[in-house]
Amino acid sequence: MQIAMVLYDRFTALDIVGPYEALSRLPDVRVDFVAESAGPVRADTGFLALTADKALADVPHPDVVVVPGGPGTFAEVENEALLEWLRTADATSTWTTSVCSGSLLLGAAGLLEGRRATSHWLTLDFLPQYGAEPTGERVVPDGKYITAAGVSSGIDMGLTLVGKIAGDEHAQAVQLLTEYDPQPPYDAGSPQKAPAHLVEEFRTNSRFSLT
Amino acid sequence: MQIAMVLYDRFTALDIVGPYEALSRLPDVRVDFVAESAGPVRADTGFLALTADKALADVPHPDVVVVPGGPGTFAEVENEALLEWLRTADATSTWTTSVCSGSLLLGAAGLLEGRRATSHWLTLDFLPQYGAEPTGERVVPDGKYITAAGVSSGIDMGLTLVGKIAGDEHAQAVQLLTEYDPQPPYDAGSPQKAPAHLVEEFRTNSRFSLT
């Protein structure tokens, strides 16, 4: 099984490393980090680069596609080379997935038409313009598409997908190995749970800017 | 504030990207990924490389040190160059931290003598040989040292440290932005919770091999 992990300028690192950490522990798997050109790709903060070992063109038919989000999404929704690769890869993929605002890239490629989907809570409202029906759930499967909410939700998505591909027991083994027994020191991880003024602050002065 | 994120051959990617994603969102922060030599450093699965933008020698006095774990730990506990850097960095750091088996590197550098600490559940028993007292907790602060349990626990450690450095409200904002409202599809994230036969299987045939 070949998994393509897509990188692009100003992606959010945990969006892709979360599902990678689960999916890379599938049996008989090969994971390829891909970008428009092979080489280092810098994440949104500027402090970290992940290596794309291959160019998109080198991996035309992965079994699984994982698309992260990040501030860079808003440039990539107009990147026809990436969108065309997504369409081609999706034509033969077993699973096409996204984390965070990555769902807007699946949407822009025309893959979420008529489907239930999710996104980062700050970008959920962009989904309808691609014909998708936004949901407030954290991991949203619809047929072979699985979209996940913001950033850290990719870990839940990755484990869910490991279960679908290799069975519950293998997924539990991966959860145990990655000691995924979360104990957040606060309970502010969603707009429903966080202090209202913080939610408002992000909505009016979003770090997920459109620039 | 300067944060050094340490990389070495066969580290576990989520160990370092988890705390990075939280800590990189501190105000006025500079994060430097460092390794013995600058350049790409490959993670344990072989499928992913992160870039060390600087060599250890270029970042002698970071305010915060974060050391990940991974199968590569067992080679690095004998890497005197890394251990000496850890001792020097620790001499002036505000916080010295680890995730997963990274605590064994702090231990090997002599930094955990007489301290409460944790590690991946499979490597917890190595702590006493460094004079540390192992605990079963997920995030263990002891003075300026914070050790975290396996892999994904670095997210909880990172958020905890953001709270200590920038206050609860900033940490909650980071939790909200990274939508850290975990909903694991299984409840097998610790040896206490996972099916006993999986725990046994890892203990007898550990992927965290000593080779």
Side-chain angles (χ1 to χ4, degrees):
Chain A
M1 164 165 283
Q2 184 181 36
I3 301 182
M5 300 266 167
V6 178
L7 300 178
Y8 53 83
D9 190 43
R10 295 196 298 139
F11 70 102
T12 296
L14 186 56
D15 286 20
I16 196 76
V17 172
Y20 149 83
E21 202 61 70
L23 294 166
S24 65
R25 297 174 197 284
L26 280 166
D28 303 318
V29 77
R30 175 188 172 89
V31 180
D32 287 298
F33 281 80
V34 296
E36 214 170 329
S37 310
V41 183
R42 205 145 281 269
D44 50 5
T45 61
F47 298 132
L48 172 60
L50 269 60
T51 302
D53 284 314
K54 297 195 171 171
L56 291 172
D58 299 332
V59 184
H61 299 300
D63 301 292
V64 179
V65 177
V66 185
V67 181
T73 301
F74 297 101
E76 300 300 323
V77 291
E78 296 177 356
N79 178 352
E80 193 50 44
L82 175 59
L83 301 182
E84 188 53 34
W85 180 86
L86 285 172
R87 286 182 206 108
T88 304
D90 180 66
T92 52
S93 73
T94 313
W95 298 98
T96 298
T97 74
S98 67
V99 179
C100 198
S101 56
S103 57
L104 307 188
L105 291 168
L106 300 188
L111 306 179
L112 295 182
E113 193 79 44
R115 299 198 176 273
R116 297 173 72 253
T118 195
S119 199
H120 190 285
W121 63 273
L122 278 167
T123 53
L124 211 48
D125 292 346
F126 290 93
L127 283 172
Q129 74 187 61
Y130 302 115
E133 181 195 333
T135 85
E137 294 150 63
R138 190 160 170 86
V139 176
V140 180
D142 185 338
K144 77 170 191 179
Y145 300 90
I146 311 182
T147 53
V151 193
S152 60
S153 67
I155 302 174
D156 295 328
M157 191 277 282
L159 263 186
T160 300
L161 187 48
V162 168
K164 287 176 186 286
I165 293 171
D168 292 342
E169 182 169 289
H170 192 86
Q172 288 173 312
V174 171
Q175 185 178 11
L176 176 58
L177 186 66
T178 56
E179 216 164 334
Y180 185 44
D181 180 28
Q183 295 171 26
Y186 306 94
D187 190 18
S190 77
Q192 289 74 39
K193 294 176 175 178
H197 73 278
L198 289 179
V199 176
E200 191 52 29
E201 202 177 294
F202 277 118
R203 285 206 194 277
T204 53
N205 183 23
S206 171
R207 295 195 209 185
F208 278 83
S209 73
L210 294 171
T211 57
Chain B
M1 165 165 281
Q2 185 181 35
I3 301 182
M5 300 266 169
V6 177
L7 300 177
Y8 54 83
D9 190 43
R10 296 196 297 138
F11 70 102
T12 296
L14 186 56
D15 285 20
I16 196 77
V17 172
Y20 149 83
E21 203 61 69
L23 293 166
S24 65
R25 297 174 197 285
L26 280 167
D28 304 318
V29 75
R30 175 189 173 89
V31 180
D32 287 298
F33 281 80
V34 295
E36 212 169 330
S37 310
V41 182
R42 205 146 282 268
D44 50 5
T45 62
F47 297 133
L48 173 60
L50 269 60
T51 303
D53 284 313
K54 297 195 171 171
L56 291 172
D58 299 331
V59 184
H61 299 300
D63 301 291
V64 179
V65 177
V66 185
V67 180
T73 302
F74 297 101
E76 300 300 323
V77 290
E78 295 178 357
N79 180 350
E80 193 50 43
L82 175 59
L83 301 183
E84 188 51 36
W85 180 86
L86 285 172
R87 285 181 207 109
T88 304
D90 179 67
T92 53
S93 72
T94 312
W95 299 97
T96 298
T97 75
S98 68
V99 180
C100 198
S101 56
S103 56
L104 306 188
L105 290 168
L106 299 188
L111 306 179
L112 295 182
E113 193 80 44
R115 298 197 176 273
R116 297 174 72 251
T118 194
S119 198
H120 190 286
W121 62 273
L122 278 167
T123 52
L124 211 48
D125 292 347
F126 290 92
L127 283 172
Q129 72 188 62
Y130 302 116
E133 181 196 333
T135 85
E137 293 149 61
R138 190 160 170 85
V139 176
V140 180
D142 185 338
K144 76 171 191 178
Y145 300 91
I146 311 183
T147 54
V151 192
S152 60
S153 67
I155 302 174
D156 295 328
M157 190 277 282
L159 264 185
T160 299
L161 187 50
V162 168
K164 287 176 186 286
I165 293 171
D168 292 341
E169 183 170 288
H170 193 85
Q172 288 174 313
V174 170
Q175 184 179 12
L176 176 58
L177 185 67
T178 55
E179 216 164 333
Y180 186 45
D181 180 27
Q183 295 170 26
Y186 307 94
D187 190 18
S190 76
Q192 290 74 38
K193 294 177 175 179
H197 72 280
L198 290 179
V199 175
E200 190 53 29
E201 202 176 295
F202 277 117
R203 286 206 194 275
T204 53
N205 182 23
S206 172
R207 296 194 208 185
F208 279 81
S209 73
L210 293 172
T211 56

PDB file of all heavy atoms in Angstrom, chain B residues 130-166:
ATOM      1  N   TYR B 130      19.787   5.915  35.549  1.00  0.00           N
ATOM      2  CA  TYR B 130      20.306   7.287  35.496  1.00  0.00           C
ATOM      3  C   TYR B 130      19.979   8.068  36.772  1.00  0.00           C
ATOM      4  O   TYR B 130      20.048   9.299  36.798  1.00  0.00           O
ATOM      5  CB  TYR B 130      19.744   8.018  34.276  1.00  0.00           C
ATOM      6  CG  TYR B 130      20.082   7.309  32.972  1.00  0.00           C
ATOM      7  CD1 TYR B 130      19.079   6.766  32.170  1.00  0.00           C
ATOM      8  CD2 TYR B 130      21.403   7.184  32.560  1.00  0.00           C
ATOM      9  CE1 TYR B 130      19.391   6.102  30.989  1.00  0.00           C
ATOM     10  CE2 TYR B 130      21.726   6.517  31.386  1.00  0.00           C
ATOM     11  CZ  TYR B 130      20.716   5.979  30.599  1.00  0.00           C
ATOM     12  OH  TYR B 130      21.025   5.328  29.438  1.00  0.00           O
ATOM     13  N   GLY B 131      19.533   7.331  37.803  1.00  0.00           N
ATOM     14  CA  GLY B 131      19.246   7.986  39.080  1.00  0.00           C
ATOM     15  C   GLY B 131      17.907   8.679  39.130  1.00  0.00           C
ATOM     16  O   GLY B 131      17.615   9.430  40.066  1.00  0.00           O
ATOM     17  N   ALA B 132      17.068   8.459  38.119  1.00  0.00           N
ATOM     18  CA  ALA B 132      15.746   9.096  38.100  1.00  0.00           C
ATOM     19  C   ALA B 132      14.682   8.155  38.657  1.00  0.00           C
ATOM     20  O   ALA B 132      14.818   6.936  38.588  1.00  0.00           O
ATOM     21  CB  ALA B 132      15.386   9.502  36.681  1.00  0.00           C
ATOM     22  N   GLU B 133      13.637   8.755  39.194  1.00  0.00           N
ATOM     23  CA  GLU B 133      12.533   7.973  39.753  1.00  0.00           C
ATOM     24  C   GLU B 133      11.396   7.947  38.747  1.00  0.00           C
ATOM     25  O   GLU B 133      10.762   8.971  38.501  1.00  0.00           O
ATOM     26  CB  GLU B 133      12.076   8.641  41.061  1.00  0.00           C
ATOM     27  CG  GLU B 133      10.950   7.926  41.769  1.00  0.00           C
ATOM     28  CD  GLU B 133      10.299   8.838  42.820  1.00  0.00           C
ATOM     29  OE1 GLU B 133      10.982   9.746  43.337  1.00  0.00           O
ATOM     30  OE2 GLU B 133       9.103   8.639  43.086  1.00  0.00           O
ATOM     31  N   PRO B 134      11.128   6.799  38.114  1.00  0.00           N
ATOM     32  CA  PRO B 134      10.081   6.751  37.089  1.00  0.00           C
ATOM     33  C   PRO B 134       8.689   6.910  37.691  1.00  0.00           C
ATOM     34  O   PRO B 134       8.420   6.402  38.777  1.00  0.00           O
ATOM     35  CB  PRO B 134      10.246   5.357  36.487  1.00  0.00           C
ATOM     36  CG  PRO B 134      11.004   4.557  37.475  1.00  0.00           C
ATOM     37  CD  PRO B 134      11.785   5.501  38.326  1.00  0.00           C
ATOM     38  N   THR B 135       7.841   7.632  36.981  1.00  0.00           N
ATOM     39  CA  THR B 135       6.446   7.764  37.407  1.00  0.00           C
ATOM     40  C   THR B 135       5.574   7.327  36.233  1.00  0.00           C
ATOM     41  O   THR B 135       6.009   7.352  35.090  1.00  0.00           O
ATOM     42  CB  THR B 135       6.066   9.213  37.761  1.00  0.00           C
ATOM     43  OG1 THR B 135       5.686   9.881  36.555  1.00  0.00           O
ATOM     44  CG2 THR B 135       7.201   9.940  38.434  1.00  0.00           C
ATOM     45  N   GLY B 136       4.354   6.965  36.505  1.00  0.00           N
ATOM     46  CA  GLY B 136       3.450   6.552  35.439  1.00  0.00           C
ATOM     47  C   GLY B 136       2.652   7.720  34.879  1.00  0.00           C
ATOM     48  O   GLY B 136       1.759   7.528  34.067  1.00  0.00           O
ATOM     49  N   GLU B 137       2.974   8.949  35.303  1.00  0.00           N
ATOM     50  CA  GLU B 137       2.193  10.105  34.815  1.00  0.00           C
ATOM     51  C   GLU B 137       2.575  10.471  33.391  1.00  0.00           C
ATOM     52  O   GLU B 137       3.643  10.113  32.909  1.00  0.00           O
ATOM     53  CB  GLU B 137       2.419  11.303  35.748  1.00  0.00           C
ATOM     54  CG  GLU B 137       1.850  11.095  37.138  1.00  0.00           C
ATOM     55  CD  GLU B 137       2.671  11.847  38.174  1.00  0.00           C
ATOM     56  OE1 GLU B 137       2.752  13.087  38.077  1.00  0.00           O
ATOM     57  OE2 GLU B 137       3.249  11.178  39.069  1.00  0.00           O
ATOM     58  N   ARG B 138       1.691  11.228  32.741  1.00  0.00           N
ATOM     59  CA  ARG B 138       1.885  11.551  31.320  1.00  0.00           C
ATOM     60  C   ARG B 138       2.843  12.729  31.105  1.00  0.00           C
ATOM     61  O   ARG B 138       3.642  12.726  30.182  1.00  0.00           O
ATOM     62  CB  ARG B 138       0.526  11.856  30.692  1.00  0.00           C
ATOM     63  CG  ARG B 138       0.569  11.972  29.172  1.00  0.00           C
ATOM     64  CD  ARG B 138      -0.824  11.792  28.604  1.00  0.00           C
ATOM     65  NE  ARG B 138      -0.903  12.111  27.206  1.00  0.00           N
ATOM     66  CZ  ARG B 138      -0.614  11.260  26.218  1.00  0.00           C
ATOM     67  NH1 ARG B 138      -0.218  10.041  26.499  1.00  0.00           N
ATOM     68  NH2 ARG B 138      -0.712  11.638  24.962  1.00  0.00           N
ATOM     69  N   VAL B 139       2.753  13.712  31.970  1.00  0.00           N
ATOM     70  CA  VAL B 139       3.632  14.889  31.903  1.00  0.00           C
ATOM     71  C   VAL B 139       4.163  15.114  33.313  1.00  0.00           C
ATOM     72  O   VAL B 139       3.382  15.294  34.243  1.00  0.00           O
ATOM     73  CB  VAL B 139       2.866  16.139  31.415  1.00  0.00           C
ATOM     74  CG1 VAL B 139       3.768  17.377  31.453  1.00  0.00           C
ATOM     75  CG2 VAL B 139       2.324  15.915  30.003  1.00  0.00           C
ATOM     76  N   VAL B 140       5.484  15.078  33.466  1.00  0.00           N
ATOM     77  CA  VAL B 140       6.074  15.122  34.802  1.00  0.00           C
ATOM     78  C   VAL B 140       7.022  16.313  34.943  1.00  0.00           C
ATOM     79  O   VAL B 140       8.163  16.260  34.473  1.00  0.00           O
ATOM     80  CB  VAL B 140       6.833  13.812  35.115  1.00  0.00           C
ATOM     81  CG1 VAL B 140       7.452  13.864  36.509  1.00  0.00           C
ATOM     82  CG2 VAL B 140       5.902  12.607  35.002  1.00  0.00           C
ATOM     83  N   PRO B 141       6.571  17.386  35.568  1.00  0.00           N
ATOM     84  CA  PRO B 141       7.467  18.515  35.844  1.00  0.00           C
ATOM     85  C   PRO B 141       8.232  18.248  37.145  1.00  0.00           C
ATOM     86  O   PRO B 141       7.662  17.730  38.097  1.00  0.00           O
ATOM     87  CB  PRO B 141       6.510  19.702  36.045  1.00  0.00           C
ATOM     88  CG  PRO B 141       5.113  19.168  35.829  1.00  0.00           C
ATOM     89  CD  PRO B 141       5.185  17.678  35.976  1.00  0.00           C
ATOM     90  N   ASP B 142       9.511  18.553  37.151  1.00  0.00           N
ATOM     91  CA  ASP B 142      10.302  18.512  38.390  1.00  0.00           C
ATOM     92  C   ASP B 142      11.320  19.640  38.261  1.00  0.00           C
ATOM     93  O   ASP B 142      12.316  19.511  37.553  1.00  0.00           O
ATOM     94  CB  ASP B 142      10.976  17.147  38.563  1.00  0.00           C
ATOM     95  CG  ASP B 142      11.717  17.043  39.909  1.00  0.00           C
ATOM     96  OD1 ASP B 142      12.064  18.104  40.494  1.00  0.00           O
ATOM     97  OD2 ASP B 142      11.944  15.918  40.367  1.00  0.00           O
ATOM     98  N   GLY B 143      11.043  20.726  38.945  1.00  0.00           N
ATOM     99  CA  GLY B 143      11.883  21.918  38.784  1.00  0.00           C
ATOM    100  C   GLY B 143      11.776  22.413  37.360  1.00  0.00           C
ATOM    101  O   GLY B 143      10.682  22.508  36.810  1.00  0.00           O
ATOM    102  N   LYS B 144      12.919  22.680  36.733  1.00  0.00           N
ATOM    103  CA  LYS B 144      12.884  23.186  35.354  1.00  0.00           C
ATOM    104  C   LYS B 144      12.838  22.055  34.326  1.00  0.00           C
ATOM    105  O   LYS B 144      12.899  22.300  33.126  1.00  0.00           O
ATOM    106  CB  LYS B 144      14.075  24.108  35.096  1.00  0.00           C
ATOM    107  CG  LYS B 144      15.395  23.395  34.900  1.00  0.00           C
ATOM    108  CD  LYS B 144      16.461  24.396  34.425  1.00  0.00           C
ATOM    109  CE  LYS B 144      17.719  23.684  33.970  1.00  0.00           C
ATOM    110  NZ  LYS B 144      18.742  24.609  33.463  1.00  0.00           N
ATOM    111  N   TYR B 145      12.768  20.831  34.805  1.00  0.00           N
ATOM    112  CA  TYR B 145      12.731  19.673  33.902  1.00  0.00           C
ATOM    113  C   TYR B 145      11.289  19.207  33.707  1.00  0.00           C
ATOM    114  O   TYR B 145      10.536  19.118  34.667  1.00  0.00           O
ATOM    115  CB  TYR B 145      13.585  18.533  34.466  1.00  0.00           C
ATOM    116  CG  TYR B 145      15.015  18.965  34.627  1.00  0.00           C
ATOM    117  CD1 TYR B 145      15.455  19.529  35.824  1.00  0.00           C
ATOM    118  CD2 TYR B 145      15.908  18.888  33.561  1.00  0.00           C
ATOM    119  CE1 TYR B 145      16.759  19.997  35.969  1.00  0.00           C
ATOM    120  CE2 TYR B 145      17.211  19.350  33.691  1.00  0.00           C
ATOM    121  CZ  TYR B 145      17.626  19.910  34.886  1.00  0.00           C
ATOM    122  OH  TYR B 145      18.907  20.380  35.014  1.00  0.00           O
ATOM    123  N   ILE B 146      10.914  18.959  32.472  1.00  0.00           N
ATOM    124  CA  ILE B 146       9.607  18.351  32.207  1.00  0.00           C
ATOM    125  C   ILE B 146       9.827  17.183  31.273  1.00  0.00           C
ATOM    126  O   ILE B 146      10.326  17.361  30.144  1.00  0.00           O
ATOM    127  CB  ILE B 146       8.609  19.334  31.551  1.00  0.00           C
ATOM    128  CG1 ILE B 146       8.565  20.678  32.304  1.00  0.00           C
ATOM    129  CG2 ILE B 146       7.207  18.720  31.531  1.00  0.00           C
ATOM    130  CD1 ILE B 146       7.538  21.652  31.739  1.00  0.00           C
ATOM    131  N   THR B 147       9.481  16.003  31.719  1.00  0.00           N
ATOM    132  CA  THR B 147       9.545  14.828  30.851  1.00  0.00           C
ATOM    133  C   THR B 147       8.118  14.397  30.542  1.00  0.00           C
ATOM    134  O   THR B 147       7.211  14.593  31.342  1.00  0.00           O
ATOM    135  CB  THR B 147      10.327  13.678  31.522  1.00  0.00           C
ATOM    136  OG1 THR B 147       9.754  13.411  32.813  1.00  0.00           O
ATOM    137  CG2 THR B 147      11.797  14.037  31.692  1.00  0.00           C
ATOM    138  N   ALA B 148       7.931  13.840  29.347  1.00  0.00           N
ATOM    139  CA  ALA B 148       6.604  13.381  28.943  1.00  0.00           C
ATOM    140  C   ALA B 148       6.692  11.917  28.533  1.00  0.00           C
ATOM    141  O   ALA B 148       7.762  11.411  28.200  1.00  0.00           O
ATOM    142  CB  ALA B 148       6.079  14.235  27.787  1.00  0.00           C
ATOM    143  N   ALA B 149       5.545  11.260  28.549  1.00  0.00           N
ATOM    144  CA  ALA B 149       5.464   9.834  28.212  1.00  0.00           C
ATOM    145  C   ALA B 149       5.615   9.645  26.694  1.00  0.00           C
ATOM    146  O   ALA B 149       6.220  10.482  26.022  1.00  0.00           O
ATOM    147  CB  ALA B 149       4.150   9.273  28.752  1.00  0.00           C
ATOM    148  N   GLY B 150       5.056   8.574  26.165  1.00  0.00           N
ATOM    149  CA  GLY B 150       5.327   8.228  24.768  1.00  0.00           C
ATOM    150  C   GLY B 150       4.735   9.173  23.734  1.00  0.00           C
ATOM    151  O   GLY B 150       3.644   9.721  23.915  1.00  0.00           O
ATOM    152  N   VAL B 151       5.456   9.371  22.673  1.00  0.00           N
ATOM    153  CA  VAL B 151       5.082   9.963  21.386  1.00  0.00           C
ATOM    154  C   VAL B 151       4.068  11.129  21.467  1.00  0.00           C
ATOM    155  O   VAL B 151       4.461  12.279  21.487  1.00  0.00           O
ATOM    156  CB  VAL B 151       4.569   8.865  20.425  1.00  0.00           C
ATOM    157  CG1 VAL B 151       4.447   9.391  18.982  1.00  0.00           C
ATOM    158  CG2 VAL B 151       5.532   7.649  20.416  1.00  0.00           C
ATOM    159  N   SER B 152       2.776  10.799  21.520  1.00  0.00           N
ATOM    160  CA  SER B 152       1.736  11.835  21.452  1.00  0.00           C
ATOM    161  C   SER B 152       1.677  12.702  22.707  1.00  0.00           C
ATOM    162  O   SER B 152       1.105  13.798  22.678  1.00  0.00           O
ATOM    163  CB  SER B 152       0.370  11.190  21.214  1.00  0.00           C
ATOM    164  OG  SER B 152       0.071  10.301  22.282  1.00  0.00           O
ATOM    165  N   SER B 153       2.282  12.240  23.797  1.00  0.00           N
ATOM    166  CA  SER B 153       2.227  12.999  25.055  1.00  0.00           C
ATOM    167  C   SER B 153       2.961  14.328  24.942  1.00  0.00           C
ATOM    168  O   SER B 153       2.763  15.219  25.772  1.00  0.00           O
ATOM    169  CB  SER B 153       2.829  12.189  26.191  1.00  0.00           C
ATOM    170  OG  SER B 153       4.216  12.023  25.968  1.00  0.00           O
ATOM    171  N   GLY B 154       3.800  14.477  23.933  1.00  0.00           N
ATOM    172  CA  GLY B 154       4.509  15.733  23.736  1.00  0.00           C
ATOM    173  C   GLY B 154       3.577  16.899  23.460  1.00  0.00           C
ATOM    174  O   GLY B 154       3.931  18.057  23.707  1.00  0.00           O
ATOM    175  N   ILE B 155       2.386  16.601  22.947  1.00  0.00           N
ATOM    176  CA  ILE B 155       1.404  17.678  22.733  1.00  0.00           C
ATOM    177  C   ILE B 155       0.933  18.201  24.088  1.00  0.00           C
ATOM    178  O   ILE B 155       0.882  19.417  24.310  1.00  0.00           O
ATOM    179  CB  ILE B 155       0.218  17.170  21.893  1.00  0.00           C
ATOM    180  CG1 ILE B 155       0.706  16.622  20.542  1.00  0.00           C
ATOM    181  CG2 ILE B 155      -0.814  18.285  21.686  1.00  0.00           C
ATOM    182  CD1 ILE B 155      -0.393  15.964  19.713  1.00  0.00           C
ATOM    183  N   ASP B 156       0.625  17.273  24.997  1.00  0.00           N
ATOM    184  CA  ASP B 156       0.208  17.691  26.343  1.00  0.00           C
ATOM    185  C   ASP B 156       1.343  18.429  27.054  1.00  0.00           C
ATOM    186  O   ASP B 156       1.112  19.428  27.743  1.00  0.00           O
ATOM    187  CB  ASP B 156      -0.230  16.468  27.159  1.00  0.00           C
ATOM    188  CG  ASP B 156      -1.474  15.807  26.573  1.00  0.00           C
ATOM    189  OD1 ASP B 156      -2.310  16.530  25.999  1.00  0.00           O
ATOM    190  OD2 ASP B 156      -1.605  14.573  26.669  1.00  0.00           O
ATOM    191  N   MET B 157       2.580  17.944  26.864  1.00  0.00           N
ATOM    192  CA  MET B 157       3.727  18.609  27.483  1.00  0.00           C
ATOM    193  C   MET B 157       3.905  20.007  26.900  1.00  0.00           C
ATOM    194  O   MET B 157       4.105  20.979  27.626  1.00  0.00           O
ATOM    195  CB  MET B 157       4.986  17.757  27.263  1.00  0.00           C
ATOM    196  CG  MET B 157       6.205  18.212  28.055  1.00  0.00           C
ATOM    197  SD  MET B 157       7.116  19.545  27.247  1.00  0.00           S
ATOM    198  CE  MET B 157       8.020  18.641  25.992  1.00  0.00           C
ATOM    199  N   GLY B 158       3.798  20.118  25.583  1.00  0.00           N
ATOM    200  CA  GLY B 158       3.968  21.415  24.929  1.00  0.00           C
ATOM    201  C   GLY B 158       2.955  22.439  25.417  1.00  0.00           C
ATOM    202  O   GLY B 158       3.315  23.580  25.738  1.00  0.00           O
ATOM    203  N   LEU B 159       1.699  22.019  25.502  1.00  0.00           N
ATOM    204  CA  LEU B 159       0.662  22.948  25.970  1.00  0.00           C
ATOM    205  C   LEU B 159       0.874  23.326  27.430  1.00  0.00           C
ATOM    206  O   LEU B 159       0.673  24.485  27.814  1.00  0.00           O
ATOM    207  CB  LEU B 159      -0.716  22.304  25.835  1.00  0.00           C
ATOM    208  CG  LEU B 159      -1.528  22.606  24.599  1.00  0.00           C
ATOM    209  CD1 LEU B 159      -2.903  21.974  24.723  1.00  0.00           C
ATOM    210  CD2 LEU B 159      -1.678  24.115  24.364  1.00  0.00           C
ATOM    211  N   THR B 160       1.295  22.342  28.226  1.00  0.00           N
ATOM    212  CA  THR B 160       1.588  22.617  29.640  1.00  0.00           C
ATOM    213  C   THR B 160       2.681  23.675  29.748  1.00  0.00           C
ATOM    214  O   THR B 160       2.580  24.628  30.527  1.00  0.00           O
ATOM    215  CB  THR B 160       2.045  21.314  30.347  1.00  0.00           C
ATOM    216  OG1 THR B 160       0.987  20.357  30.265  1.00  0.00           O
ATOM    217  CG2 THR B 160       2.394  21.563  31.806  1.00  0.00           C
ATOM    218  N   LEU B 161       3.714  23.531  28.927  1.00  0.00           N
ATOM    219  CA  LEU B 161       4.841  24.461  28.977  1.00  0.00           C
ATOM    220  C   LEU B 161       4.442  25.837  28.436  1.00  0.00           C
ATOM    221  O   LEU B 161       4.870  26.868  28.985  1.00  0.00           O
ATOM    222  CB  LEU B 161       6.026  23.876  28.209  1.00  0.00           C
ATOM    223  CG  LEU B 161       7.348  24.631  28.281  1.00  0.00           C
ATOM    224  CD1 LEU B 161       7.741  24.974  29.713  1.00  0.00           C
ATOM    225  CD2 LEU B 161       8.455  23.820  27.608  1.00  0.00           C
ATOM    226  N   VAL B 162       3.603  25.873  27.409  1.00  0.00           N
ATOM    227  CA  VAL B 162       3.105  27.169  26.922  1.00  0.00           C
ATOM    228  C   VAL B 162       2.388  27.887  28.072  1.00  0.00           C
ATOM    229  O   VAL B 162       2.566  29.092  28.281  1.00  0.00           O
ATOM    230  CB  VAL B 162       2.170  26.995  25.705  1.00  0.00           C
ATOM    231  CG1 VAL B 162       1.429  28.298  25.396  1.00  0.00           C
ATOM    232  CG2 VAL B 162       2.962  26.551  24.473  1.00  0.00           C
ATOM    233  N   GLY B 163       1.601  27.138  28.836  1.00  0.00           N
ATOM    234  CA  GLY B 163       0.905  27.731  29.990  1.00  0.00           C
ATOM    235  C   GLY B 163       1.866  28.292  31.028  1.00  0.00           C
ATOM    236  O   GLY B 163       1.671  29.389  31.550  1.00  0.00           O
ATOM    237  N   LYS B 164       2.938  27.543  31.307  1.00  0.00           N
ATOM    238  CA  LYS B 164       3.906  27.996  32.308  1.00  0.00           C
ATOM    239  C   LYS B 164       4.647  29.246  31.830  1.00  0.00           C
ATOM    240  O   LYS B 164       4.991  30.124  32.609  1.00  0.00           O
ATOM    241  CB  LYS B 164       4.917  26.884  32.616  1.00  0.00           C
ATOM    242  CG  LYS B 164       4.333  25.742  33.458  1.00  0.00           C
ATOM    243  CD  LYS B 164       5.353  24.614  33.647  1.00  0.00           C
ATOM    244  CE  LYS B 164       4.759  23.400  34.354  1.00  0.00           C
ATOM    245  NZ  LYS B 164       4.525  23.588  35.799  1.00  0.00           N
ATOM    246  N   ILE B 165       4.923  29.311  30.525  1.00  0.00           N
ATOM    247  CA  ILE B 165       5.711  30.426  29.985  1.00  0.00           C
ATOM    248  C   ILE B 165       4.843  31.656  29.711  1.00  0.00           C
ATOM    249  O   ILE B 165       5.211  32.778  30.041  1.00  0.00           O
ATOM    250  CB  ILE B 165       6.444  29.989  28.687  1.00  0.00           C
ATOM    251  CG1 ILE B 165       7.515  28.949  29.016  1.00  0.00           C
ATOM    252  CG2 ILE B 165       7.054  31.196  27.960  1.00  0.00           C
ATOM    253  CD1 ILE B 165       8.157  28.299  27.794  1.00  0.00           C
ATOM    254  N   ALA B 166       3.679  31.445  29.096  1.00  0.00           N
ATOM    255  CA  ALA B 166       2.897  32.595  28.600  1.00  0.00           C
ATOM    256  C   ALA B 166       1.533  32.727  29.266  1.00  0.00           C
ATOM    257  O   ALA B 166       0.769  33.632  28.919  1.00  0.00           O
ATOM    258  CB  ALA B 166       2.726  32.475  27.084  1.00  0.00           C
TER     259      ALA B 166
END
